[in-house]
Amino acid sequence: MKGKKIFLYSLHILKNHFLTTVIFIAFMYLYFSLFRGVTSQFISGIVICLLYLYGNFSSGRFHAKKRDALSFLEGALAVAIASLPTIILAILAANYVSLNDKGFLNSHWANVAFRLWNSPFIGVYSYADEIAKAKHSINVIITTYWITALFLPVSSWTGYLIGVLEKKELIKLPEYTFLPKKKSQNKKQGKTGKSY
């Protein structure tokens, strides 16, 4: 049962990542229409990175506080399993980064696959490409690949850790909600059953 729960939590993390990617790809045309400049793409990319980080953190924290939640080590194992596709793609992409004579990134299937898998960070990658072109060095692209590859495991792991500590009442973080709470309906009823 524990092995099944670990596997299911890994699938949940991957599902969140996949849905985020699909949603971003669906809006990619609008994204590049609104953010044409490299700098604006970079700024919007940073905002998306923060939202992605918060989403993974919140999800991990929520699952760790559930009544039948996995232990911290089991949760960490689930996060590690879910991170395997991203890490493998990052290794392949980093090994096949090269620039042409004009300083542009050569389109290799590993780079395309990694960028599609991590499409919410496309604005950051575009900015890294411009720096690589100016310096004619691939180091900034490889560094960016690894930083973004670690977003999924680090954010999910941190959220799960916080959730476990909160469940044990060792720490307490404030709860933030963006939606207004529903007002309680304290209506009295008469003999006819109608509220008044």
Side-chain angles (χ1 to χ4, degrees):
M1 285 299 292
K2 286 292 184 182
K4 183 179 179 181
K5 286 177 68 176
I6 290 171
F7 179 71
L8 288 176
Y9 182 53
S10 298
L11 287 181
H12 174 80
I13 296 171
L14 283 173
K15 183 193 75 174
N16 284 349
H17 179 84
F18 180 72
L19 287 176
T20 304
T21 300
V22 169
I23 291 169
F24 184 83
I25 290 175
F27 287 98
M28 194 171 283
Y29 179 78
L30 177 63
Y31 176 84
F32 282 112
S33 298
L34 294 174
F35 304 103
R36 291 182 179 277
V38 175
T39 303
S40 61
Q41 285 183 18
F42 176 68
I43 294 171
S44 62
I46 292 294
V47 173
I48 292 171
C49 286
L50 292 175
L51 292 173
Y52 180 84
L53 183 73
Y54 177 76
N56 284 350
F57 174 85
S58 298
S59 178
R61 181 183 172 200
F62 169 77
H63 278 273
K65 292 195 291 184
K66 290 170 68 175
R67 181 174 296 179
D68 59 342
L70 299 167
S71 69
F72 173 67
L73 290 177
E74 291 164 346
L77 177 60
V79 172
I81 293 170
S83 303
L84 284 176
T86 303
I87 299 301
I88 291 171
L89 282 172
I91 293 171
L92 291 172
N95 287 335
Y96 290 101
V97 176
S98 60
L99 303 175
N100 60 22
D101 295 336
K102 296 182 179 179
F104 292 106
L105 178 72
N106 288 321
S107 296
H108 189 275
W109 69 266
N111 286 274
V112 174
F114 181 74
R115 292 185 180 209
L116 284 175
W117 179 249
N118 282 332
S119 60
F121 310 121
I122 201 74
V124 178
Y125 296 146
S126 298
Y127 195 75
D129 289 345
E130 289 298 317
I131 296 175
K133 178 186 172 185
K135 295 185 176 181
H136 215 286
S137 171
I138 62 174
N139 293 336
V140 66
I141 296 178
I142 294 174
T143 302
T144 305
Y145 279 177
W146 280 109
I147 290 173
T148 55
L150 292 175
F151 262 64
L152 187 150
V154 170
S155 57
S156 297
W157 179 84
T158 305
Y160 208 88
L161 173 61
I162 295 297
V164 169
L165 293 175
E166 284 186 305
K167 190 176 181 180
K168 293 182 178 181
E169 298 183 349
L170 295 174
I171 62 171
K172 179 63 178 175
L173 293 184
E175 297 285 348
Y176 294 106
T177 177
F178 296 102
L179 298 175
K181 293 183 179 179
K182 292 182 179 179
K183 294 181 180 179
S184 59
Q185 295 178 346
N186 296 324
K187 295 182 179 180
K188 296 180 180 179
Q189 290 189 335
K191 292 180 180 179
T192 59
K194 295 181 180 178
S195 58
Y196 63 95

